[in-house]
Amino acid sequence: MVFVMIPNIIYYVRHKNEVVNVCENKALVIAEQIGRYGCFVFMIFNIPYTYFNFWFGHAFAVYISVNGGLYCAYTIFWAICWKKNGMLKALSLSIIPSCIFLFSGIVLANIPLIVFAVVFAVSHIFLSCKNLQEKTKKHTTIDKKWKDEFILIFVLCLFVLTIVGILFGADVGGAFPLN
């Protein structure tokens, strides 16, 4: 959890005057914060009878490998998009942490973490896109809209394929092997 927060803290310290949430939907902002802090809490603490630990063979190795890969991807996107504002930055830096939380909840069979991860993912991705849309409203062209929509669809497809590959991947002893 600390490693995921390091780029966010550095960015906030260097750009604290620029970090403004332009979306005025208070319910969505509150849902995002509840989801975020719920994920932090349930990544560290467990409630008996809602947490079932690793539930398939070699789950710990898969857990460390996938979360390590996602963290590396997150750090790479932070480095690439450091001074840029665009749909790629908004989506990658909101979908990857959502994947980390959701994947962790699934692999650990941690029901509260799964619930908070879904709340966080939906609200965080929507807020990231909405904030970008509001910031770039004046400068949007038709070509940019098509490009942004393509990136959005591509990243969402990548997210879905990653989760499906993790759950059904036979070569890593996936959660639901098909054979």
Side-chain angles (χ1 to χ4, degrees), residues 5-172:
M5 293 303 298
I6 289 172
N8 290 298
I9 293 168
I10 293 170
Y11 185 83
Y12 181 77
V13 167
R14 290 194 174 180
H15 299 95
K16 59 180 141 186
N17 295 334
E18 300 170 22
V19 180
V20 178
N21 198 357
V22 295
C23 183
E24 296 182 14
N25 187 336
K26 296 288 184 196
L28 201 57
V29 172
I30 291 170
E32 180 195 26
Q33 294 305 317
I34 289 171
R36 178 188 320 271
Y37 292 113
C39 287
F40 290 164
V41 167
F42 289 109
M43 288 284 287
I44 299 168
F45 302 107
N46 304 310
I47 297 175
Y49 306 109
T50 64
Y51 170 82
F52 302 100
N53 211 343
F54 298 111
W55 52 281
F56 61 93
H58 306 291
F60 182 71
V62 172
Y63 177 82
I64 295 296
S65 299
V66 171
N67 278 341
L70 287 170
Y71 172 71
C72 287
Y74 185 72
T75 306
I76 290 167
F77 275 107
W78 259 117
I80 291 170
C81 300
W82 181 259
K83 293 186 179 185
K84 299 175 184 174
N85 280 325
M87 189 61 76
L88 178 64
K89 180 179 182 179
L91 288 175
S92 61
L93 298 181
S94 58
I95 289 175
I96 294 173
S98 300
C99 289
I100 291 171
F101 293 137
L102 188 58
F103 176 76
S104 297
I106 291 170
V107 171
L108 290 169
N110 187 332
I111 296 166
L113 180 56
I114 293 170
V115 170
F116 281 105
V118 169
V119 169
F120 173 73
V122 170
S123 58
H124 188 57
I125 293 167
F126 183 80
L127 280 174
S128 295
C129 292
K130 190 72 171 166
N131 284 332
L132 177 67
Q133 184 182 35
E134 291 296 322
K135 287 178 185 176
T136 60
K137 202 175 212 179
K138 299 172 188 171
H139 306 292
T140 304
T141 64
I142 300 287
D143 290 338
K144 182 150 176 45
K145 280 187 176 184
W146 282 105
K147 179 182 171 186
D148 289 346
E149 288 177 15
F150 174 76
I151 291 171
L152 174 65
I153 291 168
F154 176 75
V155 172
L156 289 175
C157 288
L158 199 60
F159 172 70
V160 169
L161 290 173
T162 302
I163 296 299
V164 169
I166 290 165
L167 292 176
F168 296 103
D171 56 318
V172 293

